Structures are given as C-alpha cells and as structure tokens.
Amino acid sequence: GGGSGGGGGARKGAKKGGGGAAATALTEKELRALEREKERREKEKEREKERREAERAKEVERQLGLARKYATVGWNLGNLCRLDRCVLAHCNDNVSGMVVPWLYVGMLFASFCWHVEDHFAHSINYMHWGAPKTWYGVPGDQADAFEGVMREQLAELIESEAGLMYKMVTMVPPGEAVRAGVRVCRLLQKPGTFVVTWPRAYHAGFSHGVNCAESSNFATPDWLPWGRQSASAALFRTARAALPRSRRSPHLASL
C-alpha cells in the first residue's frame, strides 16, 4: 500500500512538473511574439518618420518654388514699380513707401485717416493674413467736394494749420460726406486680396483685428495729368515732394 501510494505520488508529481514545463514554454513563446511585435512597431515608426520627413521636404520644396516664383512675378509689390508700363520705373530713386513697399501690422480698430497718395499716384495694398480691414474711398473727381466737407467739419483746426488735412491725421465720418452729396464707397478687404486706389482718391479705414498688409504706389501713363496737377497743388507747394526733382530720370521729367 505504501509502495503504491508512493508511486501514485510520483506520478502526480510528474504530471505537475510536466504542466509547469509547458507553462514555461508558452511564456517564452509569448515573449518571442512580443519581441517580434515590438520590432514590427519600431519598423512602422521608422517608416512613418521617413514618410513625414519626405512630406516635409516636399512641402519645403513647394514653398521654395513659390518663393522663387513670387520673387519675379509682376504682382510682387517690390517688382510692380519696375514693370515697363509703370511710369515710376523711370524714377532713379528707391523711394521708401512709394517705390519700395511698406509692411503694415494692424490691430483691432487701428485706423488710417483720410489722405491721398504722394503725387496723386495710384496705390495698391495686399493683405497677407489676419483680420479683415474696412476701407472707405472717395473718387478722384469728388476730391474737391470732399475737401470742402473736411474744411467745414474741421474749420477751426484747419484755420490754425492750413495743411492739416494733407497730413493723414484727420478723420471725418464717411456719413458726413455722404450727407453733403459726396460719393463714398466702402469695401471689406480680406487676406489674399488687393485694394487699388486711383489718382487723388481719398481713402481711410480701420482694422478688425491683428493683420499684416503690404502697400506700394504705382503710376500708369494716364496718371501723368494727375501728376502735373499735384505739382501745382497747395499741399505739394508746402511739403517736400516724395520724388526729389533733382534726382528724377530725365525721361520722367520731360513727360
């Protein structure tokens, strides 16, 4: 009885031992599977990293291509005044703000007061990004009537400083001009759009938030009569002209 009992115990022990060995072998198999899964995931991460780097390189190349194109395109405001059909291409000076563009960064309610451009030139403004900007404009053939409204609204200030309205520091509500019979237009400029003003067109406006815009002047051949008119206007007799006469192109001076 004791012998058989001992044998039974041995057999039970063998079964338990065998079960333990099987469990150990299964764990090793799982570990190998986990290692293979880890390697697979690492390879996937590496491929994803390479894919993203390739996409970034492609985007950088695309942006560089756009930059190279923009550097030479006529709509680049830095090139606009040097186009053959622009009268200012004959100016020998790089006049800041007129031939060389200015960059404007606006904020909420940042305003630009009523004004006309130097020499009654055309102007062009491109908004790069940001909140919209409201513009008000008065046609050039209404400039005299609009100046009359400003003199009436700002009589005391203008009496104390005759050239005040030409210094871009005065603002008259557009509604006052409309009530006086002056034509006033309004537009909302958004990113990616241009605003062009014509000779002696008074304009003013304000920003709806943070934005960035670029502006320059240009002049087509039909500007020449306006340029002659600006040369004899009171505001240019009392203020230094933006284009120095002594350094203008002889061709431009003869026009």
Side-chain angles (χ1 to χ4, degrees), residues 11-250:
R11 285 194 295 274
K12 289 180 181 179
K15 288 182 180 179
K16 289 181 180 179
T24 302
L26 183 61
T27 301
E28 291 175 354
K29 184 177 180 180
E30 289 176 345
L31 287 174
R32 287 195 297 271
L34 289 173
E35 289 177 356
R36 288 194 296 270
E37 178 65 16
K38 181 180 179 181
E39 291 176 358
R40 185 186 67 80
R41 290 183 178 180
E42 288 178 350
K43 289 180 180 179
E44 283 186 356
K45 287 182 180 179
E46 188 65 26
R47 285 194 294 268
E48 179 65 16
K49 181 181 178 181
E50 292 175 355
R51 184 185 66 80
R52 290 181 179 178
E53 289 178 350
E55 287 182 352
R56 281 195 293 267
K58 185 177 180 180
E59 177 62 17
V60 168
E61 184 60 31
R62 188 184 73 85
Q63 294 290 345
L64 287 174
L66 289 175
R68 286 190 289 267
K69 179 180 178 181
Y70 182 70
T72 58
V73 72
W75 283 106
N76 181 339
L77 300 193
N79 300 330
L80 186 65
C81 286
R82 298 307 179 191
L83 298 179
D84 291 340
R85 294 179 63 84
C86 181
V87 176
L88 297 184
H90 301 283
C91 175
N92 296 327
D93 290 283
N94 288 325
V95 182
S96 179
M98 191 164 189
V99 177
V100 179
W102 278 5
L103 196 67
Y104 295 87
V105 177
M107 58 183 287
L108 181 62
F109 300 135
S111 304
F112 51 103
C113 296
W114 290 109
H115 67 288
V116 294
E117 299 299 315
D118 291 333
H119 302 280
F120 297 164
H122 302 74
S123 76
I124 182 168
N125 184 289
Y126 178 77
M127 181 177 286
H128 290 279
W129 53 263
K133 186 183 296 184
T134 290
W135 289 67
Y136 299 100
V138 175
D141 61 3
Q142 295 274 291
D144 289 332
F146 180 73
E147 289 179 4
V149 174
M150 292 187 70
R151 290 190 182 95
E152 180 180 347
Q153 293 290 320
L154 307 170
E156 294 183 3
L157 291 175
I158 292 176
E159 184 177 354
S160 63
E161 187 175 354
L164 181 67
M165 73 172 71
Y166 309 122
K167 295 184 178 180
M168 202 175 171
V169 294
T170 53
M171 196 67 181
V172 171
E176 295 296 330
V178 173
R179 278 188 283 274
V182 177
R183 297 199 310 274
V184 179
C185 62
R186 175 186 178 277
L187 65 83
L188 186 69
Q189 183 185 21
K190 297 181 179 180
T193 60
F194 290 92
V195 172
V196 176
T197 67
W198 257 242
R200 208 188 172 193
Y202 274 92
H203 48 284
F206 64 91
S207 294
H208 294 229
V210 177
N211 55 35
C212 178
E214 184 178 358
S215 181
S216 181
N217 290 111
F218 68 98
T220 56
D222 60 3
W223 158 82
L224 291 170
W226 293 97
R228 294 191 188 97
Q229 181 181 345
S230 75
S232 59
L235 67 156
F236 292 109
R237 289 202 303 267
T238 58
R240 183 176 63 85
L243 298 177
R245 180 178 296 275
S246 61
R247 298 180 63 186
R248 295 174 196 167
S249 163

